[in-house]
Amino acid sequence: MSEQLPAPRGRVLIVEPSSSGVALLAEAHALGFETVVASADVDDRRLPDAARAHVDRLVVVDTNDEQALAEAAAALHAERPLAGIVPGFEFYVDTVARLAPALGLPGLRADTARGLRNKATMRRLVEAAGLRVPRHAEATDEQELLAAAAHVGYPAVLKPTESAGSIHVSRVDSPEQLLAAFRSLRADHRTDLGRVLDGPVLLEEYLDGPEVSVEGYVEDGRAVVLAVTTKMLGPEPYFVELGQIMPHPAAPEAKAAIDAYVAGVCEALGVTRGPFHCELRLPAGEPVLIELGARLAGHRIPKLVEAVTGVSQVRIMLAGYTGLSAQEVGASSAPTAKYVGIACFTAYGLAQYRDVEGLDELRAHPDTLEVQLYVRPGEPIPPAEDFRCFLGHVVYKAESYEDAATRWHAVRDEVRFV
């Protein structure tokens, strides 16, 4: 959105903006907020160079040290009151939920925020509300994992209880595959925003059916569904999200069932404000929870939502965490596309590439809205097991769902990494 709303609105603290959370900075400025960022500003938590123009003050702090972050936030608030404190990535949703009430600022319920980060807790809370979730069990070692499999059965899906980006999420069809996947997870010492995968794992039943995500927000205690998105997944045993198409085609009764289910999940998890991104499987058409994030989705999904609905989830997030309404921040405008999609570029089997073909033609296509590359020629390409394998993406528009789906496959065929 380019509209400039009245200023000033005070200052807002954004904790470790990453992925779609980076968009909070420019929109906060456009809304008249002074932006303060708390970030470790190092390694994979380094603030992008392009975002720094929208930062009025950068506070360097280990954002994974909650006590240090709390002290930094308290000092800022004592110096000059903050209008709000906003999580810039999923890992900080529950952290901010605990910090905000201590500062007298708007936020999610601290007593239920743990269920928004821990997938096992999330399933227990949603199941207790009478909603279907996958059969599941937690484990911390191989013995517990095999016991979990006896309860869950095969095929099953193994995942960390606290992670993002499909990291080490895999289908397993036997005890041998289960133990191999678990050992691979435990042997992976790479960090994601400074965090390692050393906690419990979750094993849950494999649900056979299409996968969608539901994008919306909660305001005044009411969950508003903005759009349902088709998720384009890579080959199993992994669940790499190679792109999305929006809006997902659904009959009115199916859409109503999804809306009601997601509203129930939001209530069960204590989501009382701000945007949500809810991932579902639809076995036999029935919505079943994969997870819900009370934050902005990745994969440029907020951009897709705004294109087809005219609603800015970025502004809604800023509103929710500063006590404003969606109307007060001008969150709604006219849609600019009927259907949109995002296709992520991958290069299966390549350890690196030297050139890319078809990119100029893609940029020149009238339906192309955005093209980005993340990996330069000669840089290593991680294995195609999670989001880290992406080389770039294209966002495009279409006149129908069928056209959007056809375009998604065409783009991935026409852009070639060699």
Side-chain angles (χ1 to χ4, degrees), residues 59-341:
V59 177
V60 177
V61 59
D62 183 357
T63 45
N64 293 334
D65 181 339
E66 189 166 324
Q67 182 60 37
L69 180 60
E71 291 172 0
L76 286 165
H77 197 54
E79 170 189 282
R80 184 154 47 91
L82 297 166
I85 176 171
V86 187
F89 189 73
E90 176 168 340
F91 292 169
Y92 306 98
V93 168
D94 58 337
T95 302
V96 168
R98 290 186 289 271
L99 297 184
L103 302 176
L105 298 173
L108 295 171
R109 289 169 44 190
D111 61 335
T112 59
R114 187 63 181 154
L116 295 170
R117 281 291 304 124
N118 184 287
K119 295 177 177 62
T121 303
M122 180 181 295
R123 279 151 183 71
R124 288 194 291 269
L125 291 170
V126 173
E127 189 171 35
L131 300 172
R132 180 182 171 186
V133 299
R135 195 166 54 252
H136 62 279
E138 272 188 289
T140 58
D141 57 33
E142 293 186 6
Q143 184 176 355
E144 289 182 359
L145 195 58
L146 292 172
H151 168 67
V152 171
Y154 294 102
V157 178
L158 178 71
K159 60 183 66 173
T161 57
E162 297 186 20
S163 190
S166 301
I167 292 177
H168 281 288
V169 179
S170 60
R171 171 175 167 158
V172 293
D173 294 328
S174 67
E176 294 76 19
Q177 290 182 7
L178 174 60
L179 292 177
F182 179 71
R183 290 165 185 166
S184 175
L185 185 157
R186 285 291 189 245
D188 188 349
H189 301 298
R190 291 175 294 175
T191 61
D192 189 14
L193 295 196
R195 302 189 181 199
V196 295
L197 300 175
D198 58 357
V201 297
L202 184 72
L203 189 71
E204 62 185 21
E205 67 174 309
Y206 174 85
L207 299 171
D208 192 9
E211 190 164 318
V212 300
S213 65
V214 184
E215 320 305 330
Y217 65 97
V218 176
E219 186 175 65
D220 296 330
R222 183 174 69 94
V224 178
V225 171
L226 296 171
V228 180
T229 305
T230 302
K231 296 174 68 174
M232 311 296 280
L233 300 180
E236 295 179 357
Y238 306 108
F239 297 87
V240 182
E241 295 179 28
L242 299 177
Q244 284 84 16
I245 298 173
M246 182 188 300
H248 175 78
E253 59 273 17
K255 175 65 164 53
I258 289 173
D259 290 1
Y261 181 89
V262 171
V265 171
C266 287
E267 183 176 1
L269 296 177
V271 182
T272 54
R273 64 181 67 239
F276 61 76
H277 167 71
C278 185
E279 298 179 344
L280 307 173
R281 277 259 165 157
L282 304 174
E286 180 186 1
V288 184
L289 181 69
I290 297 175
E291 65 178 291
L292 182 141
R295 40 78 179 177
L296 298 170
H299 272 235
R300 306 291 282 157
I301 288 176
K303 182 181 181 71
L304 307 188
V305 171
E306 189 168 350
V308 298
T309 70
V311 177
S312 169
Q313 287 183 294
V314 179
R315 290 196 171 199
I316 282 173
M317 188 165 194
L318 289 165
Y321 282 88
T322 56
L324 300 173
S325 68
Q327 184 176 4
E328 286 177 294
V329 297
S332 297
S333 61
T336 58
K338 293 179 181 177
Y339 291 85
V340 287

Side-chain angles (χ1 to χ4, degrees), residues 12 25 31 68 128 156 159 199 286 368 403 408:
V12 62
L25 303 175
L31 288 167
K159 60 183 66 173
E286 180 186 1
T368 297
D403 288 345
W408 189 89

